[in-house]
Structure formats: structure tokens, C-alpha cells
Amino acid sequence: MANQRLIYGFHALNVRLWQNPKSITGLYIQEGRQDARTREVLEKAAAENVPVHFADAARLAAIAKGARHQGVAGFIDASKNHVHLEDVLENLREPALLLVLDGITDPHNLGACLRTADAMGVHAVIAPKDKSAGLNATVSKVACGAAETVPYITVTNLARTLRELKEYGIWVIGTDMGGETDLYHAKLPESIAWVMGSEGAGMRRLTREHCDMLVSVPMFGTVESMNVSVTAGMVLGETRRQRMLNAG
């Protein structure tokens, strides 16, 4: 199956079982396991008519390609998880909060960003199809279930997508050390798409040119940069803080 994708670990599989069980084409459980988490997975799989296969440790390790699978792995039909950006934007019940990742190629960074996005109530994470880490088993494991709950939308032309966001009244704000203001002095607009570049190269030139504002994150120590997921947590947390203050 062209759209088949591996996931493993209890967090990723449990979220998938509860959120989108019909997308699971098969579960593999390490034979002999009797712990509570395994029983919970088996009971939910049976209730949702998800095919379950038992495998010995060697076979399960091969299925999970040597990753720390915790005794559970599965395959999903990724085509049943596809979400369009327009669907997200047209069904919002609050001002948009989006995270745009430009040039994030490390699956661990992507997984951590998705986990942060879920914690901060981000409505969707957007990334270009090229030069970006796609969803895979490593991303799902690091995201601890967030890869199954936060829409991850890949687009062929990021610059055009940023222009479309503006048509919805969403401000496109990039993070950059040379920003015209810093995070703690910026008066943030209601609807925001935060744009993050890679730790080394930052945003691409065309992406930067489509930003309405550039905001820096103050550094008070000796390090010169932070991991993208840490920066995402800081700007998203400040966004939520300002929204709560504005709401009284």
C-alpha cells in the first residue's frame, strides 16, 4: 500500500485507536505480554475491529526497524488522515493559531514541535513538501500521540500558502534574531501563523519576505540559538498568555 506508514509505542497507537481507528490496517503485539497497557490496546482494537497479530520479539523488532517499540507496533493508511488547510480554517471557533515549519528536516525536531503544538492548542502545523521531515514512525514516537491529533499539512508552495493565510486575516509572524521587536514587547494580533526556520539556516529568503513581522526571542545566557521546538514552545506560550490576558 503506497500510503502505508509505520507507527509504534503505546502513546502513538492509543491515540490512533481512539482518534482514527479505521485508518489502522494492522496491529502487532509482542506475544506473552499481559500488562495493563497491552490489555487496553487489545480491548480497544477488538471493539474497533482492528486486525491484531502476535509476534515474537525478533519479528517485532524487525517490523519496527530496531526502534524502541515498547512491544506494540502497527501500520496505518496515511491517506485516511489527510486534512486540507481550508477545512481547518473554515471550522475554527477561535482566532487561528498555526505553526509553520520551514526547512525542519530532523524527524525528532518535527515530533517535538508537534508535541508542543498539541500542548498549546495549535490548530495545524504547516510545512513545505520539499526539504522537510515527513511524518514517519520516529516522528509519531517523539510526538507522543500529537502526530495523530494535530493536523500536519504539507504544501507544494509555502509562499503561496502564506499569502492565502493573509487572505483569511491571519498575521504571518517569523522568528528571527534580527526581528524589529522582541517576543516580550510584541503586541501580538489575534490570529497568528508563527513561522520557524531551521536552527542553522533559519527561514528561507522568500519565506522571510512574506512575513508581516519578525520577532526575536531574547537570549539571556551564553548560547546563541535554541532548538526549534523550544523556540516554538516559547512563542506559542506567550501567544496563549496574551490571549488569556486580553480575554480578562
Side-chain angles (χ1 to χ4, degrees):
M1 183 183 296
N3 290 308
Q4 185 166 268
R5 178 163 66 88
L6 170 71
I7 59 174
Y8 54 80
F10 283 104
H11 278 299
L13 279 164
N14 264 321
V15 173
R16 177 66 63 160
L17 277 167
W18 286 93
Q19 297 285 339
N20 194 1
K22 294 187 184 303
S23 67
I24 302 175
T25 59
L27 286 182
Y28 291 83
I29 308 292
Q30 187 169 327
E31 59 188 14
R33 291 190 63 114
Q34 300 291 332
D35 55 278
R37 290 195 298 180
T38 302
R39 292 197 302 270
E40 182 182 4
V41 167
L42 290 172
E43 289 172 3
K44 183 61 176 175
E48 300 292 347
N49 296 314
V50 173
V52 175
H53 313 278
F54 292 93
D56 60 28
R59 187 184 179 200
L60 196 57
I63 291 171
K65 300 178 181 178
R68 296 178 61 184
H69 50 71
Q70 300 177 308
V72 292
F75 289 96
I76 63 172
D77 180 357
S79 66
K80 295 184 177 180
N81 198 40
H82 185 69
V83 178
H84 293 285
L85 180 58
E86 292 77 9
D87 296 332
V88 173
L89 297 178
E90 291 174 3
N91 288 284
L92 290 180
R93 297 182 180 179
E94 64 173 343
L97 181 56
L98 306 172
L99 180 61
V100 181
L101 302 176
D102 185 26
I104 308 303
T105 58
D106 186 322
H108 292 87
N109 281 340
L110 175 56
C113 283
L114 286 169
R115 187 174 182 179
T116 299
D118 179 271
M120 292 294 101
V122 168
H123 301 116
V125 174
I126 303 167
K129 286 184 177 179
D130 297 330
K131 297 182 180 180
S132 293
L135 290 183
N136 58 27
T138 300
V139 173
S140 292
K141 184 69 166 57
V142 174
C144 293
E148 320 308 321
T149 58
V150 180
Y152 180 68
I153 300 169
T154 56
V155 297
T156 55
N157 188 319
L158 184 57
R160 181 172 61 205
T161 299
L162 296 179
R163 291 195 296 269
E164 291 172 356
L165 292 179
K166 295 181 184 186
E167 293 174 0
Y168 278 90
I170 299 170
W171 280 64
V172 177
I173 304 180
T175 54
D176 187 90
M177 290 303 294
E180 54 257 38
T181 185
D182 70 72
L183 179 63
Y184 304 123
H185 290 90
K187 182 175 175 56
L188 301 177
E190 276 197 330
S191 294
I192 300 178
W194 280 105
V195 185
M196 309 265 160
S198 65
E199 184 175 345
M203 291 179 288
R204 290 175 294 176
R205 178 188 58 80
L206 192 57
T207 303
R208 183 193 307 271
E209 290 176 356
H210 280 81
C211 291
D212 297 306
M213 181 192 308
L214 293 177
V215 171
S216 65
V217 176
M219 306 288 286
F220 300 100
T222 58
V223 299
E224 296 181 355
S225 63
M226 291 181 293
N227 181 278
V228 62
S229 64
V230 175
T231 303
M234 294 178 69
V235 301
L236 294 171
E238 175 63 14
T239 303
R240 283 297 181 188
R241 187 190 71 84
Q242 291 195 22
R243 287 188 179 188
M244 292 175 68
L245 286 177
N246 292 336

